[in-house]
Amino acid sequence: MWLKPEEVLLKNALKLWVTEKSNDYFVLQRRRGSGEDSGGLTGLLVGTLDTVFDSTAKVAPFRILHQTPDSQVYWIIACGASLEEISQHWDWLQQNIIRTLSVFDSGEDITSFVQGKIRGLIAEEGTSADDEEDPERFREAVLRFERLFVLPQREKLVTYFSCSYWRGRVPNQGWIYLSTNFLCFYSYMLGNEVKRVYPWDEVSRLERTSSVMLTESIRVRVRGEDHFFSMLLRLQQTYLIMQQLADFAIVRFFDKETFNAEHPLANPLHITQRALEIHARNQSFRAFFRLPHEENLCEVYESFLWVPFSHVNALGKICVSENYLCFASQDGSQCHLIIPLWEVFSVELPDRSSRALTVCLRGKRALRFSEVRDFERLAATIRRKCGTAGSPQHCISNPDEEGVMVGQSQAVSTEALMNVFHPHDAENLDPKMLKERMKEQSWQIHFAEYGRGTGMFCTKKTRDLIVRGVPETLRGELWMLFSGAVHDMTSHPGYYGRLLEECMGSSSLACDEIERDLHRSLPEHPAFQSDTGISALRRVLTAYAHRNPKIGYCQAMNILTSVLLLYAKEEEAFWLLVAVCERMLPDYFNRRIIGALVDQAVFEELIREHLTQLTEHMTDLSFFSSVSLSWFLTLFISVLPIESAVNVVDCFFYDGIKAILQLGLAVLDYNMDNLLCCHDDAEAVTVLNRFFDNVTNKDSPLPATVQQASATTNDKSIQKIDICDLIKEAYEKYGDIRTEEVENMRKKNKLCVIQTLEDTTKQNVLRVVAQGVKFSAAQLDELYLLFKRQHFVSCYWSVCSPALQNHDPSLPYLDQYQLDQSQFSSLFNLLLPWTTHTHACSLARSAFHILDENGDGLVNFKEFICGLDILYNRSFTEKLKLLFKLHLQPGTQECKILPSSRFFPPAEDHSFSTRLSDSAEDGVIRKCPERGRAKVDLQEYLKQWQDDLQRRDENIKDLPRINQVQFIRLTKTLYGVFHGDEEEESLYRAVARVTSLLLRMEEVGRKLQQSSPQKTPTSTAQTETSPTLPISPEAETLAEGEGTQDHTESPVSQHETVPSRSDITPNSTSRPSTPTSSPTGTSSPALDTPTDIPSSPSTVRDGDWSFSFEQILASLLNEPPVVRFFERAIDTNALIAHARKNQLKDAH
């Protein structure tokens, strides 16, 4: 490729280059270590230097220098990975530049002209490295990446770093290349080349580690094997990019329920290092301030903010998005606030000397920022955005208005259910109510000092008030504020009403599930014993299922939503549910509850770190994962009384999942002594259940009819635990757990959780498949990975690839990964044990149609392995039968519908009960309301299995006859299969003899038909005795041993005998032919018939000739070389290794 001209002082520095071509103005050179002299000592040294040192690592094997006759200065203008590539540049220079240079008088003019031409060529190329810090160097890295790893050209390099790869205790200094789908490493040290390529979708763990030998390194686990990379510089940057690329691959390929096709990084061809950094920054910004997904971080400024309540200037950062102005302190005060830009009505610059600006808000409020480096630009940005960020027209309902708003076709509740069923009594002087009023007063004071609503300052004092408990009357408002749901609702006015109009009255599987669970949601609460609460719950859940069909409805959503409806208005409850499901608890409410499993893994990690005594006692912490699942899914609502659980929800909306993790640790710490005395899991569950039964909220103002406290509440002999004390203890002991730390642990454990689920799928599939094939467990494992990777290879470089739809985790195990015809053909040809040359495509196409049992255009792993098992492990007869079927016309009933049971000889019979249990692994009913799939029809499965059993006894006589065109193709395939074999000559002769003999038999049959004209063709074929092919002694011995030999060693299946002489009579409607067979094995003239002759597969037309499988089998049994060839053991491991090595190359 063309390079930006750079000066080279020495033409042959350090003797690293060899001149290949030269003229008066240009020199083409080759790097030592590349090409013919790559094996010498000089080549080894140069290769090592190119890999280790940054100054030479960018040098390609070939380059072109520009020179002038009167100068010793050279300019590098082009480089190439191969001689062909660099020669194209050299030829272009010869044709377009050389003649022009002769008109210039001075060398400076020549050099200036050449440099201008080269820069113009680079500008025209418009490379994809425009956004990189050093585009020229990045272009050269791309060139090396393509040359070293030979990946498809569509594979996009994102970035690269210098690093060391550790193999045991030996470091290999080289370069790590991070592309959209692969992690690659290359090192070359004194002739020792190390090359590694790992797909991101196979990474199960990615983390920063340190050890005695490695101060800091990145550990990457791929297929159970750890790989360590230590960086000299920019380790954290490298780790973050690797984490993003791995997470992108996991979400795109495995977690489709959360994959967004409109994601800014959805297209793998558009991913760059800069795009990844921007995306990570936007994600962190939205997560910290709980802003809608539409918001992106536009500008950041460091500044001081005057905090009126503490009378100090807080150092922090101003973050500006499309519709919000946010501030977060960095001095430990934990102060942050969010200002909607539509609340700003002016920006003033009072003091230019201190670089200050004042932002004036509606409601007579103002914010004063100082020491802003580019304060004028910030002021201009805010003024501009204030004009574009129009005030949302969302109407906030008045608390005094009616409890039901009838504005659409559906009545929407505008009052929290708690206010409807338990209105606040201002005259009540109960001690609990007095405490409640004191809480309200504390919050009113807080509002007066720190503000109220979206512009409120959030500080340590805010958290302290949350921990003490939120007043009943303020709970809905504060939940909306702290969760960020208020921003979603404000920016989408009327959205909930429109959803209701669209979805109410419609029927779906999600609606059925919702109806079934409506009366299971807080059934003891009066609000959900009436139609008012049930109807509101139905509307919210149905609206959300309509909004997000990928999630639809999942159990536990009803419990959470019912609590939200108690304290928030109906529309507010909807947006709170959106905030929980899509932002605060991602991936929780879907079929595989991946988010909950990830947080359970994080919980286990925190237990090991903070509760070491418990870890030492219980070696297996998976118990805590299973028992804590309901804690995370329902935010402790399902295990705590409602009056205590709402305090937990208060903390969750303020601090996120961190609050739930802290409380879980506090619960285990509180019960430490009792848990250490437990002997089994059942005792531990009893201890925890008893603890939750004794948790109370002594300050709850709820009436006794609503509270869910245990019946032992009045038993003074049992120690009670107040929820406020428990939450306070959780914050005191574990409050140092930072949110950023939790998010990093989530990302790290998500890879492991996803890959664990994938391993479970693989194990279930292999357990079912292994019972019917003769591959070893290790071979099946490798074949499954090849099959799975073939699916991904088709999806790597396209966001809209149809193959992406062929993986569906909601399907039974066997059908989760399926290949279409194109994918199947590529993998089939890689694994085909014989060379077939030009017939490979047609054979793969025929094999696909045979193996596609249900005709849906997809082949699953079991179907694929069944066909492969015949080619690798079965007898001569089974292999020949498959080749025979492959050449029958596709679409006929005999070769189209083939259940997998028919691929196995009857000697390996499976009982009906065994088949039923095997298929139960992949036929289990799974709820998937988000897709609206119908339930699995077990009766249909049973009928299908019954039909399979009835069709098991397939006889070779049931196979249709093969016509002349198909027989010619079969013969050509055999010639291709034998090509290159050590017995090639004898095999060719054998096929020629068989072909000639079969055609002579057809001639005899025709003469017999002519001599008996009074008989019909059918009766003639059945009654007349015709000359047959004599069977050699060796073939007779081979056939006689069929009944005693093991199936794998016999050339013919036990249930299939050698055809009798009467079975080898050719079709009586045959046409005469005069074939000849040459001694050298050339085919007869009949074999030269064009392959596109139209023919009917199911019937033989008058004048055509055909053969049965029995005739072909009997003829080939007389040829020992053919039998030996097909009975020869196949090196399965070598073929698998070959396929693994070339699978990506085949995707070019």
Side-chain angles (χ1 to χ4, degrees):
M1 62 182 175
W2 300 110
L3 303 176
K4 180 181 178 181
E6 292 184 4
E7 187 174 332
V8 180
L9 296 179
L10 295 177
K11 173 184 176 183
N12 213 13
L14 300 178
K15 301 295 182 180
L16 300 180
W17 295 91
V18 178
T19 299
E20 297 284 339
K21 299 179 182 180
S22 65
N23 55 40
D24 291 340
Y25 301 103
F26 301 102
V27 179
L28 190 155
Q29 294 183 330
R30 173 177 54 81
R31 185 85 167 165
R32 291 191 184 274
S34 301
E36 298 177 357
D37 61 349
S38 59
L41 179 60
T42 304
L44 295 178
L45 291 173
V46 173
T48 301
L49 291 173
D50 284 349
T51 304
V52 174
F53 295 109
D54 187 21
S55 59
T56 57
K58 65 180 183 179
V59 178
F62 297 91
R63 70 178 183 179
I64 296 177
L65 302 179
H66 164 62
Q67 64 171 352
T68 53
D70 56 348
S71 173
Q72 296 298 317
V73 178
Y74 292 79
W75 300 81
I76 181 171
I77 60 173
C79 68
S82 63
L83 182 61
E84 293 76 10
E85 180 183 359
I86 203 69
S87 296
Q88 292 178 1
H89 291 355
W90 179 266
D91 294 340
W92 188 90
L93 292 172
Q94 298 294 321
Q95 297 172 8
N96 298 278
I97 300 295
I98 290 293
R99 297 177 183 177
T100 308
L101 297 182
S102 59
V103 303
F104 292 98
D105 296 330
S106 66
E108 293 181 358
D109 293 339
I110 293 174
T111 300
S112 177
F113 174 78
V114 171
Q115 291 180 354
K117 275 291 186 181
I118 300 303
R119 290 192 178 97
L121 290 173
I122 294 174
E124 290 177 3
E125 286 181 357
T127 63
S128 59
D130 295 338
D131 295 335
E132 304 299 327
E133 296 180 0
D134 189 350
E136 196 65 37
R137 185 175 175 185
F138 187 79
R139 284 157 52 90
E140 294 163 354
V142 170
L143 188 69
R144 287 178 58 84
F145 172 73
E146 295 174 351
R147 176 175 61 86
L148 291 173
F149 302 104
V150 200
L151 294 172
Q153 292 184 351
R154 293 172 294 173
E155 182 62 19
K156 182 177 177 61
L157 178 65
V158 176
T159 188
Y160 65 104
F161 299 95
S162 174
C163 74
S164 293
Y165 170 68
W166 291 78
R167 291 194 299 178
R169 297 183 178 181
V170 180
N172 294 270
Q173 182 66 32
W175 293 85
I176 187 171
Y177 297 85
L178 308 179
S179 66
T180 52
N181 297 294
F182 299 94
L183 183 158
C184 305
F185 175 83
Y186 183 80
S187 172
Y188 186 85
M189 299 285 289
L190 298 177
N192 181 25
E193 184 181 55
V194 178
K195 187 184 296 185
R196 298 287 185 269
V197 179
Y198 302 117
W200 290 117
D201 54 80
E202 293 184 7
V203 174
S204 59
R205 198 160 192 85
L206 183 65
E207 60 182 345
R208 291 183 58 174
T209 60
S210 59
S211 62
V212 177
M213 294 184 61
L214 302 176
T215 305
E216 278 190 308
S217 63
I218 297 176
R219 181 174 74 172
V220 182
R221 178 173 295 175
V222 182
R223 297 177 59 182
E225 184 178 355
D226 289 334
H227 307 272
F228 293 89
F229 300 90
S230 59
M231 310 293 171
L232 300 177
L233 297 171
R234 297 185 289 184
L235 182 139
Q236 180 63 15
Q237 180 186 10
T238 306
Y239 173 70
L240 292 177
I241 293 177
M242 293 170 69
Q243 194 177 61
Q244 283 185 281
L245 290 171
D247 182 70
F248 168 75
I250 288 293
V251 172
R252 181 165 174 251
F253 294 137
F254 301 115
D255 194 13
K256 294 190 176 66
E257 292 170 327
T258 59
F259 179 69
N260 182 9
E262 299 178 359
H263 192 281
L265 300 179
N267 191 339
L269 300 180
H270 295 167
I271 295 179
T272 63
Q273 180 178 347
R274 183 176 179 181
L276 289 172
E277 292 171 350
I278 292 174
H279 178 65
R281 187 177 60 177
N282 290 334
Q283 272 190 323
S284 301
F285 168 69
R286 288 191 294 262
F288 184 84
F289 293 106
R290 309 275 175 83
L291 295 177
H293 291 295
E294 298 83 9
E295 296 300 315
N296 294 300
L297 182 59
C298 300
E299 298 176 10
V300 180
Y301 302 86
E302 283 195 0
S303 72
F304 287 92
L305 170 64
W306 173 252
V307 184
F309 48 84
S310 57
H311 304 286
V312 297
N313 279 311
L315 175 64
K317 288 186 177 181
I318 302 172
C319 302
V320 183
S321 69
E322 289 85 354
N323 297 295
Y324 293 90
L325 174 70
C326 308
F327 178 85
S329 65
Q330 295 179 299
D331 56 3
S333 62
Q334 299 179 4
C335 170
H336 69 272
L337 80 158
I338 304 169
I339 303 297
L341 288 176
W342 58 80
E343 295 290 337
V344 178
F345 67 86
S346 69
V347 180
E348 301 174 0
L349 304 176
D351 187 1
R352 292 182 176 272
S353 61
S354 61
R355 296 179 294 181
L357 73 157
T358 302
V359 179
C360 301
L361 310 176
R362 292 183 175 86
K364 299 181 180 180
R365 292 183 59 201
L367 301 174
R368 186 177 187 275
F369 299 96
S370 59
E371 299 300 329
V372 183
R373 176 174 297 180
D374 198 349
F375 67 101
E376 292 181 342
R377 179 186 174 189
L378 174 60
T381 299
I382 297 176
R383 289 168 181 158
R384 184 181 71 254
K385 289 183 176 291
C386 287
T388 57
S391 177
Q393 302 299 315
H394 193 280
C395 178
I396 306 298
S397 58
N398 191 321
D400 298 329
E401 67 184 354
E402 278 188 38
V404 174
M405 177 179 66
V406 186
Q408 293 92 16
S409 59
Q410 294 292 329
V412 178
S413 175
T414 58
E415 193 72 26
L417 295 179
M418 194 64 76
N419 294 338
V420 175
F421 289 88
H422 306 286
H424 187 66
D425 186 2
E427 304 297 329
N428 192 342
L429 300 179
D430 183 85
K432 292 184 178 181
M433 290 302 301
L434 291 176
K435 288 186 178 181
E436 186 74 4
R437 291 177 188 174
M438 291 175 62
K439 287 183 183 179
E440 293 178 6
Q441 193 172 17
S442 299
W443 276 97
Q444 294 300 334
I445 295 172
H446 184 275
F447 291 150
E449 294 182 0
Y450 298 88
R452 186 170 186 174
T454 54
M456 183 178 71
F457 285 87
C458 295
T459 64
K460 289 181 178 179
K461 187 176 180 181
T462 310
R463 177 179 279 113
D464 293 339
L465 290 175
I466 290 288
V467 172
R468 289 166 52 189
V470 175
E472 297 282 320
T473 56
L474 297 175
R475 186 159 273 138
E477 175 187 344
L478 294 178
W479 285 359
M480 290 288 292
L481 177 64
F482 297 141
S483 67
V486 64
H487 306 304
D488 291 316
M489 188 175 75
T490 305
S491 58
H492 296 84
Y495 177 79
Y496 179 65
R498 292 193 298 271
L499 270 184
L500 290 180
E501 290 182 352
E502 294 173 5
C503 69
M504 297 308 292
S506 62
S507 69
S508 65
L509 188 57
C511 294
D512 296 340
E513 297 286 345
I514 290 171
E515 288 296 328
R516 188 167 55 191
D517 288 346
L518 284 178
H519 295 279
R520 304 175 186 174
S521 310
L522 299 183
E524 65 283 347
H525 197 286
F528 297 100
Q529 296 172 357
S530 69
D531 185 64
T532 301
I534 294 295
S535 298
L537 181 61
R538 177 188 295 111
R539 289 192 294 270
V540 172
L541 293 174
T542 305
Y544 185 78
H546 187 72
R547 164 189 166 86
N548 192 344
K550 288 185 177 180
I551 293 178
Y553 170 76
C554 183
Q555 287 184 347
M557 288 174 65
N558 61 319
I559 299 175
L560 177 60
T561 307
S562 60
V563 174
L564 299 178
L565 284 168
L566 290 178
Y567 295 98
K569 302 166 187 177
E570 185 177 321
E571 184 175 4
E572 293 174 344
F574 169 80
W575 287 111
L576 283 169
L577 183 62
V578 170
V580 171
C581 295
E582 299 177 11
R583 186 166 58 242
M584 302 187 73
L585 295 179
D587 294 358
Y588 262 62
F589 302 99
N590 55 34
R591 192 188 66 84
R592 297 192 292 176
I593 56 171
I594 291 174
L597 297 176
V598 170
D599 283 342
Q600 286 179 301
V602 173
F603 189 49
E604 285 187 27
E605 200 169 332
L606 291 174
I607 291 174
R608 292 187 182 92
E609 181 180 347
H610 295 277
L611 302 175
T612 55
Q613 188 177 1
L614 190 62
T615 305
E616 294 171 357
H617 178 71
M618 301 185 68
T619 56
D620 185 10
L621 296 181
S622 59
F623 161 74
F624 294 113
S625 294
S626 59
V627 78
S628 64
L629 180 60
S630 62
W631 303 358
F632 292 98
L633 282 175
T634 65
L635 307 178
F636 283 92
I637 296 172
S638 62
V639 294
L640 288 175
I642 184 63
E643 63 274 11
S644 300
V646 290
N647 285 43
V648 179
V649 179
D650 296 339
C651 300
F652 167 75
F653 279 126
Y654 189 83
D655 276 323
I657 193 62
K658 170 178 173 285
I660 305 300
L661 294 168
Q662 290 175 177
L663 183 60
L665 292 173
V667 168
L668 297 181
D669 188 27
Y670 192 95
N671 294 276
M672 178 74 73
D673 295 337
N674 293 331
L675 289 173
L676 293 177
C677 296
C678 295
H679 297 89
D680 54 35
D681 294 350
E683 290 185 25
V685 171
T686 303
V687 168
L688 293 175
N689 288 339
R690 187 182 302 117
F691 168 80
F692 288 126
D693 289 341
N694 294 326
V695 174
T696 63
N697 188 349
K698 61 183 180 181
D699 296 332
S700 175
L702 295 179
T705 56
V706 175
Q707 295 191 24
Q708 300 175 350
S710 172
T712 62
T713 301
N714 298 324
D715 190 347
K716 297 182 179 180
S717 63
I718 299 177
Q719 183 181 3
K720 301 298 178 182
I721 306 99
D722 185 68
I723 187 62
C724 293
D725 295 337
L726 185 62
I727 292 176
K728 184 178 179 181
E729 182 179 351
Y731 272 91
E732 289 175 351
K733 288 188 175 182
Y734 309 107
D736 58 343
I737 299 175
R738 297 182 300 109
T739 303
E740 295 80 4
E741 179 185 353
V742 172
E743 289 301 320
N744 287 332
M745 294 169 71
R746 272 179 158 181
K747 292 176 182 178
K748 178 177 65 176
N749 284 284
K750 184 174 183 179
L751 296 175
C752 183
V753 168
I754 292 285
Q755 295 295 355
T756 301
L757 293 174
E758 288 296 306
D759 288 342
T760 302
T761 299
K762 181 182 72 173
Q763 292 167 7
N764 284 306
V765 170
L766 296 186
R767 185 167 62 249
V768 174
V769 173
Q771 300 177 6
V773 297
K774 296 186 177 182
F775 291 110
S776 67
Q779 290 170 348
L780 277 177
D781 188 272
E782 290 291 336
L783 288 170
Y784 181 84
L785 292 176
L786 285 172
F787 187 87
K788 180 178 172 182
R789 182 181 292 182
Q790 189 65 38
H791 162 77
F792 288 140
V793 165
S794 304
C795 310
Y796 279 153
W797 303 284
S798 174
V799 66
C800 300
S801 172
L804 279 170
Q805 308 303 322
N806 297 344
H807 171 233
D808 189 348
S810 67
L811 292 175
Y813 288 126
L814 279 174
D815 295 331
Q816 287 189 17
Y817 287 100
Q818 301 185 88
L819 301 183
D820 59 25
Q821 182 172 319
S822 174
Q823 296 169 315
F824 172 87
S825 298
S826 299
L827 185 58
F828 183 80
N829 290 332
L830 280 174
L831 291 170
L832 200 61
W834 312 303
T835 305
T836 55
H837 300 292
T838 57
H839 292 76
C841 294
S842 60
L843 282 181
R845 185 165 55 249
S846 300
F848 179 82
H849 288 296
I850 290 177
L851 297 176
D852 182 15
E853 300 178 9
N854 55 6
D856 62 350
L858 298 171
V859 168
N860 63 29
F861 181 69
K862 183 177 181 181
E863 296 166 341
F864 177 78
I865 286 299
C866 288
L868 207 63
D869 184 60
I870 296 176
L871 297 177
Y872 279 58
N873 304 316
R874 298 300 170 177
S875 67
F876 166 69
T877 304
E878 291 294 323
K879 294 177 182 178
L880 184 63
K881 187 196 300 182
L882 180 58
L883 286 175
F884 183 86
K885 292 178 182 178
L886 291 179
H887 292 80
L888 295 175
Q889 187 72 20
T892 61
Q893 185 176 2
E894 294 83 350
C895 66
K896 179 70 175 177
I897 304 175
L898 289 176
S900 58
S901 59
R902 295 179 67 180
F903 287 121
F904 305 120
E908 300 178 1
D909 189 19
H910 303 295
S911 65
F912 179 75
S913 59
T914 305
R915 292 287 304 278
L916 182 60
S917 62
D918 291 348
S919 300
E921 291 289 343
D922 55 81
V924 65
I925 297 178
R926 292 182 175 83
K927 184 176 75 171
C928 186
E930 63 272 18
R931 288 174 173 76
R933 294 184 181 275
K935 296 182 179 179
V936 176
D937 190 348
L938 290 181
Q939 294 297 327
E940 189 65 26
Y941 272 142
L942 291 173
K943 183 177 182 300
Q944 179 181 347
W945 292 328
Q946 188 72 27
D947 294 340
D948 287 351
L949 290 176
Q950 293 175 357
R951 291 196 301 260
R952 286 186 58 83
D953 297 329
E954 180 191 58
N955 193 283
I956 58 176
K957 295 183 179 180
D958 299 331
L959 294 174
R961 300 177 69 87
I962 190 169
N963 63 30
Q964 57 188 32
V965 175
Q966 297 162 358
F967 178 73
I968 292 172
R969 289 172 180 166
L970 173 60
T971 308
K972 290 182 177 180
T973 298
L974 290 176
Y975 284 149
V977 165
F978 299 150
H979 180 72
D981 189 81
E982 57 186 9
E983 296 186 64
E984 179 179 359
E985 183 68 19
S986 59
L987 289 169
Y988 280 1
R989 289 174 178 270
V991 173
R993 284 194 297 269
V994 168
T995 303
S996 177
L997 200 53
L998 286 173
L999 293 175
R1000 289 173 184 170
M1001 290 166 51
E1002 181 269 342
E1003 177 85 9
V1004 173
R1006 183 177 180 279
K1007 292 180 178 179
L1008 289 175
Q1009 177 193 5
Q1010 293 175 351
S1011 63
S1012 305
Q1014 70 278 9
K1015 296 185 178 181
T1016 62
T1018 303
S1019 60
T1020 302
Q1022 294 177 348
T1023 60
E1024 292 290 334
T1025 302
S1026 60
T1028 59
L1029 178 69
I1031 301 178
S1032 67
E1034 183 176 351
E1036 290 181 358
T1037 304
L1038 195 62
E1040 290 171 359
E1042 294 287 321
T1044 58
Q1045 292 180 352
D1046 183 72
H1047 180 79
T1048 58
E1049 300 175 353
S1050 64
V1052 185
S1053 301
Q1054 296 178 13
H1055 71 292
E1056 294 170 353
T1057 59
V1058 177
S1060 63
R1061 295 179 180 272
S1062 61
D1063 291 332
I1064 314 179
T1065 305
N1067 193 318
S1068 58
T1069 61
S1070 301
R1071 181 183 58 192
S1073 62
T1074 56
T1076 58
S1077 176
S1078 67
T1080 58
T1082 56
S1083 60
S1084 64
L1087 298 181
D1088 296 329
T1089 306
T1091 58
D1092 57 351
I1093 296 176
S1095 62
S1096 174
S1098 56
T1099 60
V1100 181
R1101 297 175 304 174
D1102 186 31
D1104 287 346
W1105 47 263
S1106 65
F1107 297 109
S1108 69
F1109 175 74
E1110 297 166 289
Q1111 293 174 299
I1112 297 175
L1113 174 62
S1115 302
L1116 289 175
L1117 281 174
N1118 281 274
E1119 302 295 339
V1122 177
V1123 177
R1124 286 197 303 269
F1125 177 86
F1126 284 105
E1127 288 290 336
R1128 188 184 305 160
I1130 294 174
D1131 190 347
T1132 304
N1133 294 329
L1135 287 170
I1136 292 176
H1138 168 78
R1140 185 169 57 246
K1141 181 180 179 181
N1142 295 278
Q1143 193 169 25
L1144 290 176
K1145 296 180 182 179
D1146 192 60
H1148 279 261

